[in-house]
Amino acid sequence: MIRFDDVTISYPDSPPVLSHASFIIPDGDLVVVVGRTGTGKSTLLGAINGLVPHFTGGTLSGDVVVNGRSTRDHRPRDLADVVGYVGQNPLAGFVTDRVEDEIAYGMEQLGLPPVTMRKRVEETLDLMNIADLRRRPLLDLSGGQQQRVAIAAVLAAQPRVLVLDEPTSALDPTAAQDVLAAITTLVHDVGLTVVLAEHRLERVMQAADQVLWLPGDGSAELGPAREVLARADVTPPLVELSRTFGWPQVPLSVREARRHVTTEGIVLDPPHPEPTRERGRTALQIEKLGVRYGDVLAVNDVTCDFASGEITALMGRNGAGKSSLMWALQGATASSGTISVTTGSTSEDPREVTAGRARQLVSLVPQSAADLLYLHTVEGECAQSDRETESSGGTTAAILTRLGADLDPQRHPRDLSEGQRLALVLAIQLAASPGVVLLDEPTRGLDYAMKAALRTILTELAASGTCVIVSTHDVEFAAQATTRTVVLADGDIVADGTTREVCTSSPAFAPQVAKIFHPLPVLTVAEAARGLR
Amino acid sequence: MTRQVARVERPIVEAPAPTSHTRLVGRTTHPWGWWGWALGAAVAVSLTRNLLLLTLVVAAVVWVVLARRTAAPWARSVGAYFTLALMVIGVRMFFQLTVGGLREGTVLFTLPEVQLPAWAAGISLGGPVTLEAVLFTISDAGRLAAMLICVGAANALANPRRALRAVPPALYELSVAVVIALSVAPQLIESGVRVRRARRLRGGASRGWRAVTAVVIPVFEDAIDRSLLLAAGMESRGYGRTHDQRRVGRGTSVMLMGALMCVTLGTFILLGVPGSGRRGALALGGGVVATVVGLRRSGRRLAVTRYRPDPWGWPEAVVLGCGATAIAIAGWLAHTQPNAMLPPISPAAWPTLHPAMIVLALVVAIPAVATPLPPRDER
C-alpha cells in the first residue's frame, strides 16, 4: 500500500533524516513509528502524503508510492482521497468552526456532490461516535473529542491510509483510550492502513501489527512489533520488563505479560514498604484555595500542604483543574484562599510579593515552555536569566550543564528539541533557586531516555530540599519519579497518598507493571527485578 | 352489567426524549437576506434627517434583532454598535458646541468665547448655542448613528463566517483568506495573554523595548507556527485541488474591471450628482449585472461544492424585498416630500410625519414576523 523505494530525505546543512530507506507497508496494517526524539518520525509521516518535500522544503530522492500514486508527481492535495493526515495539534489544523462543517470541508475541496457529502458526513459521525457533537463549535471540544473530530474530518474523503502524528500524547489516559479504540475500529472493521508515531508507546503498542524503528542514523527498520521492539532503543515498561527478566519475546499487552508470568510461574516478593522517612518541613501550604474564571469553577476550595524534599504527582483528567492550581500556586492567576510558602522562618504569599520575589518562592515551568523564551540564542537566554535573578554570570549555564544538557550556546531556542528546550527553561527557572518547583506536563514530547534523565534531575532537586510538584497524565512517569500522588477531579482533591497506594488502588492510574503483578503493589520494573525470587 | 370503555380516537405517540443531538424545529435565515435587508434600511435612513423617521426605523430594526437573533457570540455585537452610535452623536455635539459654525436662531445658552490667534486660522471656540444648531446636529449625526445600527443589526443576525461561506465560487479563495484572518485575531489575543502570563514566571523584570519584544516575539512565532500548521492541514485535505490551472480568460477580466468601474461610477452619480438619478441607476444596474456574469464565468474554474448551503426560500425573498421596498419608499419620499425628509434647519420646527414614513418603518419591521424562528437551542 505504501512503498518507500530507496528514499533519502535531507535538509540543507544537516545530515540526512532518512538515507536509502526502503520498505513496504502492506494494506490493512497498523504500523507504529518509533524512535527517539529528533530521529525524523514526523518527517517520515509527512513523506507519506507528500507534505515532505512539497510543503516543507528539503530534498527527497528515491520514490514514495502510495496506492499506486507517487508523491513525485502528486502534491499532498492530489493525495487527499488516498491519505488522511492528522497533525500533532488537531486544533491548529481546523479550517472551519463547527464539527459538521469541518468534516465536510475536505469533501468540498474534492468537489463531491452535496448528496454524497451529506451521506458521508452522517456515516463518519457514526463511525467516530461523535454524532452528538455535530453542531458544537470546535473550540468548545475537549482534547480527545478534537482528536476524534480531526480523524473524522480526514476520513470523510474515504482515504485508504490514515497517518497520525502523536494522536494520544496530549490526552489523559481515558481520552487516549477513546481515540485508540476509534483507530483500532478503523483498522479492524474498515480495513484502513494506519501509520502513527507515538512517544507513549505503552498506549498503542498492543494494537500494532508492525513497528517501524528509526534508530537515528538515517536507516529505517520495519518488522513485526515483537521482534523490532526487542532491539529498539525505545523502552516502554513492557520492553524493559522483558529485557530485565530475559523473556524471549516482548509481550505487547498487559494481558500477554500476565499470562507469561502465570505460565512461567514467576513469583515476586512483595516490595518492601517505604521506610517511613520523616517528612520534611512544610514548604508550601494552601488553605481553601479557589480559582474561578467567570462562572467556571476550576479549583474548588482545596486545602493541602507540600513538604520540602517531596516529589508530588498531580493527576486527573484534562480540565480537572491541575494547571489552574499550579498557576494559582505560583501566584500568577487570581485565586481566593490562602497560600503560604515557608522559607526559613518566614512565610510569604506569592500573590502579595513582586513577580521577581514570587519566582524565588515558587517557580513554574508551564506546559508551553517555549513561551518563556524570546531571545535568539541559548547563550542570550542564559545571560538574561542571570541578570533577572541577579546571580553571578554563568549560573544558568552551569545549571544547564548540571542538568545534562550541553547545548550549543549559539543555537536558536526554537531549533532545540522538545527535551532540550525543557532543560533550558528548567535551568532558567532554577536560577532563582526557588524553594518550590512546579512542572506542568513536562513529559509531553520526551522519549524514554529523556524521561529517565528528567527523573534523575527531579530526584536530585528533591534531595537538595526542594519541594517538587509535577502535573502529569503519564502514569508510568509518576510511578517512577514521584513519592506522593494527589488526584484532582472536578476541581476537588479526590485522592491524596503515597504514589504506591494511589496508583495501585485504581486501574485508571496504575502503571503497567502494577497491572501485571496485581495484586502485589509493584510500581516499577526495577522493583519487580529486586523482588524476583 | 356493561362497562364503558373509553376509546382513544387517535393513538397518542409520545415524543422521543430529546438527546443532545436532536435537531430542533426552526432555521436561521440566509445571511445575505439579512445583509440585504439591513443595507436597505441603512440606505433608506441615509436619505433623511427627519428625527421621527430615524427613530421609527431604528426601533423597527432593533425589534427585528431582538425577535430573531441567536445566542451566538456575534449576536451580542448589537450593543457595541449602539455604543458606537451614541459616541458618534456625542462627538458631533461636542464639536458643534465648541467649534460649530451654526450660531443663528433661538439662543439656548452662551458658552464663554475664546478667540484663537491668527496662526490657528482665527477659529473662535464657544459662543452662543442655538436650538437650531442642537437639533440639526442631533438629526444629522442621528442619521449616521442609525446607519451604524443597521449594519450592527446585520452583524448580529447573520454569522459573518456563514455569510462568507455563501459567496460565489470566483470569490472563494478571497473568502477563505478573510475567514482565516477573522480567526487569527482571537488567536493572537489568546497567545498574547498566555505569553504575558508566562513573562511573570521569569520575574517580569525587563522594561521598555525588551519587555515589548519579550511578548511580541513569542506571539508572532506562535502565529507563524499556527498558520503553517493550518496551511499544512488545508493542503493535505485537498485545498485548491480542483483549481483549474488555466488562467481566467482575458475577456472575463476586462469585463469584470469594466463592471466594477460602472458600479463605482453609478454609485458616485447617484449620491454625488443631483438630478441625474436615471443615468446613475442605469450605470449601477448595468455594472451589477456585468459583475454577476463575470464572477460566474471566472468561478467555473474552481469546482468546490458546498455542504448544506443555507437555503434561500420565501422568507429570504421577503426579507430582501423589505429592504428594497424601504429604499423605494424613502426615495419616493425624498422626491416628493423633500421638506419632510430633510426639514429646513431654521426655524426650528417639530418634524412632520408623513403617512408613508409609518409604512416605511412597518416594512422594515416585517422580517420580525415573516422569518422562521432559529432553533430553540440556538436562541
Side-chain angles (χ1 to χ4, degrees):
Chain A
M1 180 51 92
I2 304 170
R3 198 179 79 227
F4 274 60
D5 202 358
D6 194 31
V7 173
T8 303
I9 303 173
S10 54
Y11 297 107
D13 306 326
S14 54
V17 186
L18 272 185
S19 66
H20 306 290
S22 299
F23 53 85
I24 293 172
I25 295 176
D27 195 5
D29 264 16
L30 194 156
V31 175
V32 178
V33 183
V34 304
R36 296 204 44 189
T37 304
T39 49
K41 297 193 291 294
S42 295
T43 305
L44 186 132
L45 294 185
I48 296 177
N49 79 335
L51 278 178
V52 178
H54 286 290
F55 188 79
T56 57
T59 50
L60 184 145
S61 68
D63 201 5
V64 180
V65 181
V66 185
N67 205 17
R69 293 189 211 170
S70 161
T71 63
R72 187 185 289 278
D73 37 39
H74 287 82
R75 294 164 299 175
R77 63 183 83 158
D78 304 320
L79 291 167
D81 54 342
V82 180
V83 184
Y85 176 89
V86 181
Q88 268 185 35
N89 179 357
L91 191 57
F94 287 151
V95 189
T96 64
D97 51 3
R98 265 185 2 149
V99 171
E100 213 176 333
D101 297 337
E102 185 63 28
I103 294 175
Y105 176 79
M107 293 186 287
E108 290 181 339
Q109 302 309 312
L110 300 184
L112 294 181
V115 183
T116 319
M117 275 202 271
R118 184 65 202 271
K119 184 164 143 284
R120 281 207 202 162
V121 166
E122 301 300 330
E123 289 165 358
T124 316
L125 286 170
D126 282 339
L127 187 62
M128 296 307 286
N129 199 13
I130 48 174
D132 50 341
L133 306 177
R134 63 184 307 159
R135 274 183 281 276
R136 293 267 299 277
L138 292 166
L139 282 172
D140 290 359
L141 303 180
S142 73
Q145 290 170 336
Q146 282 175 0
Q147 190 73 48
R148 276 187 288 161
V149 170
I151 296 175
V154 299
L155 277 185
Q158 299 195 334
R160 296 306 305 156
V161 178
L162 190 59
V163 177
L164 305 158
D165 199 353
E166 308 254 349
T168 71
S169 283
L171 306 180
D172 59 56
T174 325
Q177 279 298 329
D178 279 353
V179 172
L180 191 64
I183 296 172
T184 27
T185 310
L186 294 177
V187 175
H188 290 281
D189 294 349
V190 188
L192 292 191
T193 311
V194 174
V195 185
L196 63 88
E198 182 62 64
H199 269 304
R200 301 201 175 160
L201 208 44
E202 63 271 11
R203 286 180 171 174
V204 297
M205 60 193 261
Q206 49 177 313
D209 294 308
Q210 296 203 75
V211 167
L212 182 63
W213 174 38
L214 303 178
D217 57 358
S219 60
E221 206 176 308
L222 181 72
R226 286 169 221 285
E227 285 172 24
V228 178
L229 282 177
R231 293 195 307 274
D233 57 355
V234 283
T235 50
L238 288 178
V239 174
E240 208 185 328
L241 186 74
S242 78
R243 285 187 195 169
T244 313
F245 281 35
W247 294 348
Q249 266 198 334
V250 177
L252 291 185
S253 66
V254 169
R255 185 173 74 149
E256 278 180 34
R258 250 186 105 78
R259 282 187 181 160
H260 193 80
V261 167
T262 319
T263 50
E264 294 289 304
I266 296 171
V267 185
L268 294 190
D269 283 329
H272 304 292
E274 277 90 15
T276 41
R277 272 190 303 128
E278 203 172 309
R279 237 175 131 217
R281 61 177 178 79
T282 303
L284 171 64
Q285 196 166 18
I286 52 176
E287 208 166 311
K288 296 214 161 204
L289 185 75
V291 180
R292 48 172 60 198
Y293 311 106
D295 58 352
V296 175
L297 190 62
V299 178
N300 177 28
D301 293 350
V302 166
T303 302
C304 195
D305 54 47
F306 301 92
S308 60
E310 191 178 54
I311 307 179
T312 309
L314 200 58
M315 302 225 271
R317 70 175 81 86
N318 282 338
K322 301 190 299 293
S323 288
S324 300
L325 179 59
M326 293 219 142
W327 282 89
L329 288 179
Q330 210 282 331
T333 294
S335 54
S336 59
T338 58
I339 307 173
S340 79
V341 181
T342 314
T343 41
S345 56
T346 55
S347 289
E348 285 169 272
D349 185 334
R351 291 170 297 184
E352 286 162 6
V353 294
T354 62
R357 176 69 186 141
R359 73 177 282 213
Q360 291 174 345
L361 298 173
V362 181
S363 221
L364 169 63
V365 176
Q367 212 175 94
S368 44
D371 287 351
L372 289 188
L373 306 172
Y374 56 92
L375 296 174
H376 301 299
T377 59
V378 171
E379 196 177 31
E381 290 285 358
C382 289
Q384 172 67 17
S385 158
D386 291 341
R387 270 198 298 282
E388 277 166 0
T389 53
E390 289 162 7
S391 44
S392 57
T395 311
T396 311
I399 297 173
L400 196 55
T401 316
R402 215 183 66 218
L403 296 181
D406 278 315
L407 305 180
D408 174 5
Q410 294 306 322
R411 275 186 77 180
H412 196 289
R414 282 262 150 186
D415 297 336
L416 300 176
S417 77
E418 201 88 31
Q420 290 170 329
R421 209 175 313 146
L422 180 71
L424 179 60
V425 172
L426 189 57
I428 289 170
Q429 290 301 66
L430 290 178
S433 48
V436 180
V437 173
L438 312 174
L439 295 108
D440 197 356
E441 249 354 288
T443 59
R444 190 178 172 178
L446 300 192
D447 59 37
Y448 292 99
M450 286 173 167
K451 278 196 237 178
L454 180 64
R455 205 161 65 220
T456 321
I457 293 169
L458 296 187
T459 316
E460 278 170 14
L461 271 180
S464 65
T466 312
C467 166
V468 181
I469 307 175
V470 187
S471 113
T472 185
H473 291 316
D474 193 333
V475 287
E476 305 294 336
F477 182 77
Q480 293 177 333
T482 66
T483 49
R484 175 183 170 195
T485 296
V486 173
V487 180
L488 276 179
D490 222 11
D492 294 314
I493 290 183
V494 293
D496 182 1
T498 62
T499 299
R500 189 178 305 281
E501 279 167 19
V502 176
C503 281
T504 52
S505 62
S506 80
F509 292 111
Q512 289 190 318
V513 177
K515 288 177 188 162
I516 295 167
F517 294 106
H518 186 81
L520 287 182
V522 191
L523 283 181
T524 63
V525 175
E527 266 179 14
R530 272 201 301 276
L532 192 63
R533 274 185 192 159
Chain B
M1 192 176 150
T2 52
R3 276 175 66 192
Q4 198 97 44
V5 177
R7 210 173 113 232
V8 180
E9 280 287 310
R10 280 160 53 196
I12 298 162
V13 179
E14 276 191 33
T19 60
S20 56
H21 58 279
T22 311
R23 183 170 174 186
L24 297 172
V25 177
R27 72 176 178 95
T28 47
T29 309
H30 196 288
W32 288 114
W34 284 127
W35 274 97
W37 164 80
L39 290 180
V43 169
V45 292
S46 77
L47 294 175
T48 184
R49 224 170 40 224
N50 185 324
L51 268 180
L52 284 176
L53 178 58
L54 288 178
T55 317
L56 279 177
V57 173
V58 167
V61 166
V62 169
W63 184 47
V64 174
V65 170
L66 292 182
R68 285 298 178 265
R69 72 167 167 183
T70 61
W74 56 84
R76 292 171 217 136
S77 64
V78 76
Y81 280 89
F82 253 99
T83 319
L84 193 65
L86 287 179
M87 269 169 59
V88 164
I89 297 180
V91 168
R92 279 289 294 274
M93 190 56 88
F94 173 77
F95 279 107
Q96 175 60 41
L97 295 188
T98 53
V99 192
L102 205 59
R103 298 289 181 205
E104 299 87 42
T106 325
V107 176
L108 291 175
F109 55 90
T110 309
L111 289 173
E113 199 162 352
V114 184
Q115 184 72 40
L116 290 186
W119 52 261
I123 297 169
S124 68
L125 298 181
V129 174
T130 62
L131 179 64
E132 281 79 6
V134 170
L135 273 183
F136 173 73
T137 313
I138 291 183
S139 56
D140 202 43
R143 168 162 68 173
L144 186 56
M147 288 165 73
L148 276 174
I149 289 172
C150 289
V151 173
N155 244 319
L157 289 168
N159 180 350
R161 285 193 180 214
R162 282 197 86 81
L164 283 168
R165 259 169 63 83
V167 297
L171 299 179
Y172 179 77
E173 278 150 9
L174 199 68
S175 81
V176 170
V178 175
V179 166
I180 289 173
L182 282 179
S183 65
V184 162
Q187 277 172 13
L188 278 181
I189 294 171
E190 186 250 302
S191 52
V193 167
R194 213 185 62 225
V195 171
R196 255 174 56 84
R197 221 167 55 142
R199 270 300 79 80
R200 189 198 135 95
L201 299 181
R202 274 184 82 162
S206 48
R207 293 225 151 56
W209 181 242
R210 200 171 265 278
V212 174
T213 52
V215 174
V216 168
I217 289 180
V219 169
F220 275 158
E221 284 175 341
D222 212 45
I224 292 173
D225 278 354
R226 272 176 194 259
S227 44
L228 277 179
L229 285 174
L230 179 61
M234 287 170 69
E235 171 77 39
S236 49
R237 286 168 66 191
Y239 173 72
R241 173 174 151 132
T242 55
H243 194 302
D244 189 343
Q245 293 302 309
R246 268 178 308 153
R247 296 189 52 130
V248 183
R250 181 169 291 249
T252 313
S253 301
V254 170
M255 185 164 125
L256 267 174
M257 293 289 288
L260 288 177
M261 272 157 73
C262 270
V263 169
T264 317
L265 199 70
T267 317
F268 176 75
I269 293 174
L270 262 185
L271 298 179
V273 186
S276 54
R278 187 163 301 165
R279 263 178 294 159
L282 210 65
L284 185 63
V288 168
V289 170
T291 310
V292 170
V293 175
L295 284 181
R296 274 189 170 268
R297 278 183 57 180
S298 64
R300 264 186 228 141
R301 70 204 173 102
L302 197 66
V304 290
T305 45
R306 300 277 177 202
Y307 172 73
R308 291 180 91 173
D310 287 311
W312 185 278
W314 62 264
E316 281 79 8
V318 170
V319 169
L320 204 60
C322 288
T325 315
I327 297 180
I329 297 178
W332 178 77
L333 274 171
H335 198 65
T336 57
Q337 314 279 329
N339 278 346
M341 290 295 272
L342 301 170
I345 300 165
S346 110
W350 186 250
T352 47
L353 188 65
H354 193 273
M357 293 183 178
I358 299 175
V359 176
L360 199 166
L362 284 177
V363 165
V364 171
I366 286 175
V369 287
T371 52
L373 270 170
R376 199 178 60 221
D377 53 352
E378 288 179 26
R379 254 176 265 162

